[in-house]
Amino acid sequence: MFNKKPRRNFRQRKDCSSDDEDQPKKSEEGEENPEKTAPAVVNKPLKAAQSRGITCSSKREATPPKPDSSDGEDGESVETTEERDERKKDQEGTKKKETSVLSFSDDKEAEESTFKLKKSSEKAVLFQIRKKEALPAKTIVSTVNIPNAREIEAAKRRRRANRTQKEFIPLSRDGQSSAGSTPDHYSREDEDDRVDDDNELDDHERRIEFAPRMRSIRERIAEKLGMRGRDTEKIEQELWEETQIGKGVKRRPGEQRPINITFVHCAFITACCQNMQHTFPPIVHLTPPLCNFFFLPRLDSLKEVYRARQAELRRMEGDVEGAKTSLENLEESSSEKQLKFYRTMTTYVHNMVECLQEKVVEINSLELELHTLLSDQMEALLAQRREKIKEQADHLQQLSCDEESVGVKTEEDFDMAEDTQHSAEEQEQLQKNIADILLRSKAVFSDVQEDFCSVKKILSRFEEWRECYSESYHNAYISLCLPKLLNPIIRHQLLAWNPLKDTSGDFENLPWFTAVETFCHGHGHEELEHTDRQTLSSVIERTVVPKMTAYVELVWDPMSHQQSVCLTDVCHSLKEDYSIFEGEHTKPVKAFAEALVRRLRSCVDEDVFIPLYPKKFLEEASSPQRHFRDQQFWTAVKLLGNMGKWDLLLPESVLKELMLDKLLNRYLMTTLCSQTLSNNAVYACKKIADGLPPSWFKGESTCLPQLHNFRNHIVQKVHAICKQQPPTDPNTRAAVVDLLKVLSTIRCHDSIMAIAEKYHYEDAIYSHQLLNPETA
């Protein structure tokens, strides 16, 4: 870039020069640094007489010039700025032209006389000079004394002292007055920048910065602390004020000057320590309290980090110890030992499967023989009952055709039909056959070692596998294989268990159940870490539920109250304890539910029979027709109660269809509406209501649509009773209260309020909580 040439002092040429100055000089061209003077263009004369001329040099001459006379061309040669610029252009032009003319006059004087120096071997410079008037014979020299470096430095010190003492107000660089600012705000950098205007560069000679300049230490510290502009100036101002105040405080020798350190000072000093290799600014003197203030927080932070590192080290040491222990365990349990265990387990399972494949044939045979025996007995009993009912119905139908049969009397009185029972001889023969089957079943595993037929021994092998090699145990899905593997042995133990009888005992008392429960849930109330909690439920679904399904299809009599109670109790126990009937049903559970529905539907369609006779036979309480009709009615009521026990086990829609649509409205309501039950009508309504599942009415306030006929019959019965006898009669009141309780059970609150208002039974409503039966 352009470098500004320093201002030069031109001195007057002597009138005559010595011969030493007439030595040939070589002209040089080029650019120099701002500190150096610009090169002067000098002619190289061919003769000594032509060496006279005007020279420009910034170097100090060794001897002062002496006045001498010349050819009338001597004169003062002080150049102006315009003339200097013109000469610079002329010098640049000499690079392109073979001859160069150096002119000290304007273009309008170009026609004046010129003299031309003889062209040298290098360059020829043409001087175009102006005709000057005759000068006096002797001129006065203008002499300039240039100070040396020592004098310049002394002048700078005096100037700085004057600025400090506010002897004058300096002007800023832009020429504006800085009276608004005081010398208190100057810094060392400002002093260095305040040099003479003589050394400043012009705008066209300034260097253009193409990259960001290097920031000073203070600027970097300010950037580090997040401070800009005024924050940095504030820090410098406070530090300068502290320094000036400290200068005026008198201290004894050796005493340190106290310094008021603010948060900004602390941040500034800390940044200096981090960015200047812990060297503090010369204006700050650290004292012990100041060191504590600076370094104690840092020490506490380092201590906290040290404690965290110690804790991490202890944890890592624990991990290393655990890794060593695991490594030792892995080294002890070598692959050979594991391979040996797997081979042993494979051989054991293979032998057990072969054994069970042979024994399952015998177990199936015994189980089939037992089920066939019970099924034959039940079919014989059902056939006998059906035959008896048919014979009675045919006989009474024949009697109904004979008018003389009206006067026949009978002493029998029916309440609830009893369950059909085998005769004593048949029962004895049945028990004898069952005992023979159970005796032969004991010989099934008589030739088998206990390790292959005992559920406890078998599960101990798998428990060892689970403890030693848990990952491979779970990857092999052993919990899903165990129910199928143990199925033949458990079925063998369940041969004597009959879910339709109380005398057979609970299956939970059998040995297999205790072993499986311990394997799944641990010993006692403690649970093992790796437990197969679903294995027990899966075993029950695969063994117990199919056993119950077989009994439902072949042996169960839905008309039998005892069998129904035993079977439903087992099912509710499985639902509450093992969640068998909850959620999505498995295949064994679905098969069991379907068997139940088929059996109940078959019983309603084939075993329920209520005959119809002329009214004259039914009005006679002692007639055999009425007696047979009542017997069949109570059998249907008992079946209704037995079906209600399957609530929460079978779908609600299926139960409502069988109990309400078919059994109640098709058969029972016909008998109730005939008004031939006399005093037993109230009791019959109560038994029907008791047989309905309570879950149907929980949280309900209205009657079910399927029960509207039953509700209407009860309301008519209440009105009939109150017409026959006064409502205040104790017997009438007791009968009416019983019927109101039935209406409360089926949630007929509107009918209850209507009857209470009509016959003044409001007190009975509140005394028996008829409107809130759930809280009664």
Side-chain angles (χ1 to χ4, degrees), residues 577-615:
D577 298 338
Y578 311 105
S579 304
I580 299 298
F581 294 92
E582 292 182 355
E584 185 178 0
H585 294 175
T586 59
K587 290 183 179 180
V589 176
K590 288 181 179 180
F592 176 74
E594 292 173 357
L596 284 173
V597 173
R598 287 196 303 269
R599 194 70 186 88
L600 291 174
R601 194 181 300 275
S602 174
C603 184
V604 172
D605 295 338
E606 299 179 5
D607 295 337
V608 175
F609 173 71
I610 299 178
L612 295 176
Y613 296 108
K615 187 174 181 181

Side-chain angles (χ1 to χ4, degrees), residues 34 204 287 347 559 776:
H204 67 279
T287 61
T347 304
M559 292 288 188

Side-chain angles (χ1 to χ4, degrees), residues 632-676:
Q632 295 300 113
F633 173 81
W634 288 111
T635 301
V637 172
K638 183 177 66 172
L639 177 61
L640 182 70
N642 294 342
M643 296 172 66
K645 296 183 182 300
W646 293 105
D647 181 38
L648 303 178
L649 297 175
L650 294 178
E652 183 177 336
S653 59
V654 175
L655 287 179
K656 286 182 178 180
E657 177 192 357
L658 295 176
M659 295 176 63
L660 302 181
D661 295 339
K662 289 187 175 182
L663 191 59
L664 177 61
N665 293 326
R666 182 184 298 180
Y667 296 102
L668 299 181
M669 289 304 302
T670 303
T671 304
L672 289 175
C673 294
S674 65
Q675 301 291 337
T676 56

